[in-house]
């Protein structure tokens, strides 16, 4: 966006805001940003993402700019002016993974589901497109509250194939759609490129309910099971989050009792279970590896639910404070899903302040505020590796590559889950890091790094892409991160929110 265009957009935003009778502070609250950010927008001093423009148009009820094409055809980049110290406070948004699971689970409910403070990310947008394409009414009540009402009969044949190709979460429709029709098909899942991630664990779990799935060219052919009220007990061969969620949602359809062993107790699984309890489904063992579910053949409840905060976003924001050696406060951190990460960081010399605990909007999850303090870091005393909850979260592991790059000594990171993700982290070397690839699963990192600016294309994996953006904050000079769609899949307005605590990041399109 040119300076003239930015100034023109700013005037239109200001006029539309005044027509609504809103102050800058009121518009900022509705957008989930700061008053100073709105002031910069209206002065033409801040480039805006296409997504932010669309949100403002929706809120203000006025066309602001003619984008000239479909959002999916617009390629957005970031320009990062690094080396700046951060300060102030930034809030953790609601969980991406919980939001996706709850969107899928809304199909189980014949009543109206209202999801409060849902993250407005591209992954959510794709699932909303999928639901809308099969006849579900999805209406945004404001910037982050979504009302969902499903029809009596879903039109599965009309499912949006293009939206499905842009998300891995489409596989999670199999559980809630368990016996929707005798036979139907869904497109193959897309999403991040993280190597071979088999869907077989999902199929094994759903076969326990009699679901038959065969793979064809570009889609899965599904044969629904006969409805029954049998009791079931089975073991998941993989303690995966989405596998567990699919099994839970399938069990919710059944009048009988289902016992799932080796279940994931992770944050998004807990949020799903809390939601189902609000629907009247009996779920026992939440937070453990054994879940007992007493389902219902029909659920028709009007419900409001707010997913808890995202521990991966919390780790991202904490990392931003660490790599820029800043004192910045991250509020609404879901501490029970961050305790191992913080303990490892303490062992590396990280200093921080922690507030007293309080409760999330779901009434269950424990939150704290974390204030990062400038710290002299040293290498981790042992290798850093993920484990199923309550261990170090697999999605938080990549951030240790950025942090270890700031530490004295050599740190070994073992990403045993994904075949390709460690490879993507070697892109940090273009910013001056010392990342050495040992094999597809292991890297060692020698620090501290004298970060330098660079132009880098986003790798096709969400967390490594976010790591590069965070490292750019520490690199003096101007860096460019190109084609950031993968980041927008998992973060809501990350660049704008980092700007509220002192970063200087601009959006631009070629």
């Amino acid at each position: 966006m040119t300076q003239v265009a930015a100034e023109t957009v700013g005037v239109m935003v200001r006029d539309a805001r005044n027509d609504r009778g809103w102050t800058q502070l009121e518009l900022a609250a509705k957008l989930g940003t700061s008053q100073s950010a709105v002031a910069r927008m209206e002065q033409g001093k801040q480039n805006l993402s296409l997504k932010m423009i669309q949100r403002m148009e929706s809120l203000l009820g006025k066309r602001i700019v003619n984008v000239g094409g479909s959002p999916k055809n617009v390629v957005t980049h970031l320009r990062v002016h690094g080396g700046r110290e951060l300060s102030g406070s930034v809030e953790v948004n609601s969980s991406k993974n919980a939001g996706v699971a709850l969107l899928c689970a809304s199909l189980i409910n014949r009543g109206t589901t209202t999801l409060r403070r849902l993250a407005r990310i591209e992954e959510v947008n794709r699932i909303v497109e999928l639901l809308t394409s099969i006849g579900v009414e999805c209406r945004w009540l404001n910037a982050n509250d979504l009302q969902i009402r499903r029809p009596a009969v879903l039109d599965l044949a009309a499912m949006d194939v293009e939206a499905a190709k842009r998300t891995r979460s489409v596989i999670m429709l199999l559980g809630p759609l368990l016996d929707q029709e005798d036979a139907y098909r869904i497109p193959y899942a897309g999403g991040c490129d993280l190597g071979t991630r088999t869907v077989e664990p999902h199929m094994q779990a759903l076969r326990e309910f009699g679901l038959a799935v065969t793979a064809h060219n570009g889609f899965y052919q599904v044969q629904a099971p006969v409805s029954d009220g049998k009791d079931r007990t089975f073991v998941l061969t993989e303690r995966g989050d989405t596998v567990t969620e699919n099994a839970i949602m399938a069990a919710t359809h059944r009048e009988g009792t289902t016992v799932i062993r080796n279940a994931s107790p992770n944050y998004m699984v807990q949020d799903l279970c809390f939601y189902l309890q609000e629907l009247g489904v009996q779920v026992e063992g939440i937070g453990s590896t054994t879940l007992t579910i007493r389902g219902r053949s029909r659920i028709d409840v009007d419900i409001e639910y707010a997913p808890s905060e995202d521990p991966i976003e919390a780790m991202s924001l904490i990392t931003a404070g660490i790599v820029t050696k800043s004192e910045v406060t991250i509020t609404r951190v879901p501490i029970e899903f961050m305790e191992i990460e913080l303990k490892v960081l303490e062992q590396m010399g990280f200093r921080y302040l922690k507030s007293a605990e309080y409760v999330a909007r779901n009434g269950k999850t424990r939150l704290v505020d974390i204030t990062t303090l400038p710290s002299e870091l040293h290498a981790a005393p042992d290798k850093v590796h993920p484990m199923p909850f309550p261990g170090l979260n697999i999605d938080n592991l990549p951030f240790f590559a950025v942090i270890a790059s700031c530490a004295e000594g050599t740190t070994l990171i073992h990403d045993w889950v994904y075949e390709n993700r460690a490879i993507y982290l070697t892109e940090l070397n273009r910013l001056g890091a010392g990342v050495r690839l040992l094999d597809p699963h292991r890297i060692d990192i020698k620090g501290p790094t004298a970060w330098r600016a660079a132009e880098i294309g986003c790798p096709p994996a969400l967390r490594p892409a976010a790591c590069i953006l965070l490292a750019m904050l520490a690199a003096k000079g101007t860096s460019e991160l190109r084609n950031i769609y993968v980041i927008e899949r998992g973060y809501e307005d990350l660049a704008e929110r980092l700007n509220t605590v002192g970063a200087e990041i601009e959006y631009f399109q070629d």
Side-chain angles (χ1 to χ4, degrees):
M1 186 182 294
T2 66
Q3 183 61 36
V4 172
E7 291 174 355
T8 301
V9 169
V11 170
M12 296 183 72
V13 170
R14 183 198 62 202
D15 291 346
R17 174 180 60 77
N18 287 333
D19 288 344
R20 286 274 183 171
W22 293 343
T23 65
Q24 287 183 343
L25 185 61
E26 288 171 323
L27 177 57
K30 295 176 186 299
L31 289 171
T33 187
S34 67
Q35 182 180 358
S36 61
V38 171
R40 289 196 301 271
M41 294 174 195
E42 294 187 355
Q43 294 165 8
K45 294 180 179 179
Q46 180 165 317
N47 283 344
L48 300 174
S49 68
L50 177 64
K51 183 169 65 173
M52 177 60 81
I53 291 172
Q54 290 170 329
R55 287 176 61 191
M56 287 193 293
E57 289 178 338
S58 176
L59 280 170
L60 297 168
K62 184 175 181 180
R63 185 77 174 203
I64 293 173
V65 62
N66 185 3
V67 176
S70 168
K72 68 182 69 175
N73 296 324
V74 176
V75 180
T76 304
H77 319 293
L78 291 177
R79 186 173 292 118
V80 183
H81 305 284
R84 298 169 62 91
E85 186 175 328
L86 308 182
S87 63
S89 175
V90 60
E91 182 177 294
V92 177
N93 280 341
S94 66
S95 162
K96 158 192 176 284
N97 291 323
V100 167
L102 293 168
L103 284 170
C104 296
S106 70
L107 292 174
I108 296 169
N109 185 21
R110 301 282 174 160
T112 299
T113 293
T114 302
L115 297 177
R116 298 291 184 188
R117 297 184 66 83
L118 193 65
R120 289 294 293 268
I121 56 175
E122 290 302 306
E123 189 81 352
V124 164
N125 291 340
R126 298 294 80 76
I127 298 298
V128 169
E129 288 172 3
L130 284 175
L131 296 180
T132 301
S133 70
I134 60 176
V136 179
E137 180 187 332
C138 297
R139 184 166 70 95
W140 290 102
L141 303 178
N142 50 45
N144 291 94
D145 295 344
L146 180 66
Q147 186 180 82
I148 307 162
R149 186 181 290 112
R150 60 155 289 167
V153 178
L154 297 169
D155 185 4
L156 299 183
M159 186 174 293
D160 188 333
V161 175
E162 289 305 310
K165 287 179 179 178
R166 292 161 70 87
T167 172
R168 187 171 298 278
S169 305
V170 66
I171 196 73
M172 290 173 59
L173 294 178
L174 288 174
L177 294 177
L178 184 68
D179 48 13
Q180 190 68 215
E181 295 181 6
D182 291 340
Y184 58 94
R185 67 184 193 176
I186 64 170
Y188 279 163
C192 291
D193 181 5
L194 293 172
T196 303
R197 287 176 62 183
T198 176
V199 298
E200 183 56 27
H202 290 265
M203 304 311 173
Q204 290 175 0
L206 295 172
R207 285 187 199 116
E208 298 287 345
F209 300 92
L211 192 74
V213 182
T214 54
H216 295 269
N217 185 27
F219 63 91
Y220 303 106
Q221 183 66 42
V222 183
Q223 186 68 43
V226 177
S227 182
D228 63 55
K230 290 169 49 178
D231 293 344
R232 290 175 172 80
T233 298
F234 57 90
V235 178
L236 297 178
T237 56
E238 175 185 295
R239 197 189 300 174
D241 302 325
T242 56
V243 173
T244 300
E245 289 168 331
N246 240 343
I248 291 169
M249 290 187 284
T252 303
H253 290 273
R254 294 298 186 248
E255 292 278 0
T257 298
T258 300
V259 178
I260 305 172
R261 304 194 188 281
N262 196 34
S264 166
N266 211 355
Y267 63 96
M268 70 291 283
V269 177
Q270 293 193 26
D271 251 323
L272 172 62
C273 291
F274 296 147
Y275 167 77
L276 293 174
Q277 285 181 327
E278 294 292 318
L279 290 179
V281 179
Q282 295 183 46
V283 184
E284 299 173 4
I286 299 173
S288 77
T289 57
T290 300
L291 292 172
T292 302
I293 301 153
R294 295 175 180 85
R296 298 168 58 188
S297 59
R298 182 179 177 87
I299 297 172
D300 191 341
V301 178
D302 291 341
I303 181 177
E304 293 186 5
Y305 187 81
S308 64
E309 283 70 10
D310 194 329
I312 318 305
E313 180 172 291
M315 184 69 188
S316 308
L317 297 172
I318 289 170
T319 302
I322 292 173
V323 301
T324 58
K325 295 184 180 296
S326 301
E327 182 172 329
V328 61
T329 299
I330 297 90
T331 64
R332 308 189 70 81
V333 174
I335 187 60
E336 62 192 284
F337 304 104
M338 291 287 297
E339 288 174 330
I340 302 299
E341 284 85 338
L342 288 170
K343 181 58 68 175
V344 174
L345 289 174
E346 288 174 27
Q347 294 172 351
M348 297 176 69
F350 174 49
R351 298 167 51 245
Y352 65 97
L353 303 175
K354 182 174 71 173
S355 75
E357 292 185 3
Y358 53 100
V359 180
R361 296 181 182 91
N362 66 8
K364 305 285 187 180
T365 306
R366 297 183 289 116
L367 305 178
V368 298
D369 301 338
I370 297 289
T371 300
T372 65
L373 301 175
S375 307
E376 294 300 321
L377 301 177
H378 50 79
D382 197 359
K383 69 178 179 182
V384 183
H385 63 97
M387 289 292 287
F389 178 77
L392 193 149
N393 193 298
I394 178 60
D395 284 335
N396 275 339
L397 184 68
F399 301 107
F400 282 90
V402 186
I403 295 167
S405 296
C406 301
E408 185 73 38
T410 301
T411 300
L412 175 65
I413 293 180
H414 185 191
D415 188 345
W416 54 267
V417 177
Y418 298 123
E419 288 87 351
N420 291 341
R421 195 163 68 173
I423 296 172
Y424 297 138
L425 291 170
T426 60
E427 287 289 278
L428 291 170
N429 290 343
R430 299 179 62 184
L431 293 163
V435 180
R436 185 167 64 117
L437 184 68
L438 304 179
D439 57 48
H441 293 275
R442 295 182 306 145
I443 54 177
D444 68 16
I445 300 160
K446 187 174 182 179
T449 295
W451 298 105
R452 60 174 181 264
E455 178 181 325
I456 302 177
C458 258
L462 172 58
R463 306 308 172 184
C467 286
I468 292 171
L469 172 59
L470 295 173
M472 286 178 171
L473 295 178
K476 291 182 178 179
T478 300
S479 297
E480 289 186 359
L481 185 58
R482 304 189 67 82
N483 192 2
I484 61 163
Y485 177 80
V486 68
I487 292 178
E488 295 191 327
R489 278 189 56 232
Y491 292 90
E492 180 180 0
D493 301 329
L494 179 59
E496 286 104 329
R497 292 165 63 228
L498 288 169
N499 284 344
T500 67
V501 289
E504 188 176 346
I505 307 172
E506 304 170 277
Y507 287 90
F508 69 100
Q509 287 97 26
D510 289 334

